[in-house]
Amino acid sequence: MSDKPEEIRDMLTAEQVLALIPVSRTTLFRLERDGVFPKGETITPHRKLWFKDEVIAWQRDLRDPTSALAEAVRARNSKCPAAPRKLKAV
C-alpha cells in the first residue's frame, strides 16, 4: 500500500454536464464518441459519470485557439457544415 492518500475526484452526471455544456444529450455523446469530449465512466449499465476536473480542463482547452482540442473541434465542424435552408414561398 502506498503512503500517498488516494485522491477523490468529483464526478458529474449527464444532467450536471449538460448544465455546464449547453448542448443536447445526443451531441454530448457524439462529442464523446468522436474523441473531442472526455470519456465518461460507466458505473452501471444505465449510469455514466464524468470527472469534473476533466470537464473543466476540456472547457479551458476549448477556449485556447492553439490547443489540439480547439483544432479538432474546428475540423469536425468544417466537415459537417449546416445544410442550406430552403425558403418557403409566401
Side-chain angles (χ1 to χ4, degrees):
M1 185 167 204
S2 172
D3 292 336
K4 192 182 214 181
E6 289 188 38
E7 179 183 344
I8 302 207
R9 297 166 63 193
D10 290 334
M11 298 184 88
L12 303 171
T13 64
E15 292 76 20
Q16 290 170 317
V17 171
L18 293 171
L20 297 171
I21 313 296
V23 297
S24 71
R25 189 178 190 88
T26 301
T27 298
L28 172 66
F29 287 105
R30 283 184 187 147
L31 291 171
E32 180 187 33
R33 177 198 67 201
D34 294 347
V36 293
F37 192 77
K39 294 283 184 196
E41 299 291 327
T42 303
I43 60 170
T44 69
H46 300 286
R47 186 68 151 174
K48 183 180 257 194
L49 299 174
W50 287 263
F51 287 108
K52 184 177 181 178
D53 58 336
E54 291 179 2
V55 173
I56 292 168
W58 178 86
Q59 288 176 315
R60 196 174 300 121
D61 287 347
L62 191 60
R63 288 185 299 191
D64 177 3
T66 62
S67 73
L69 171 63
E71 291 175 15
V73 169
R74 279 193 302 274
R76 182 179 182 274
N77 290 342
S78 69
K79 290 179 185 175
C80 304
R85 292 183 157 181
K86 293 181 181 180
L87 298 176
K88 292 183 181 181
V90 214

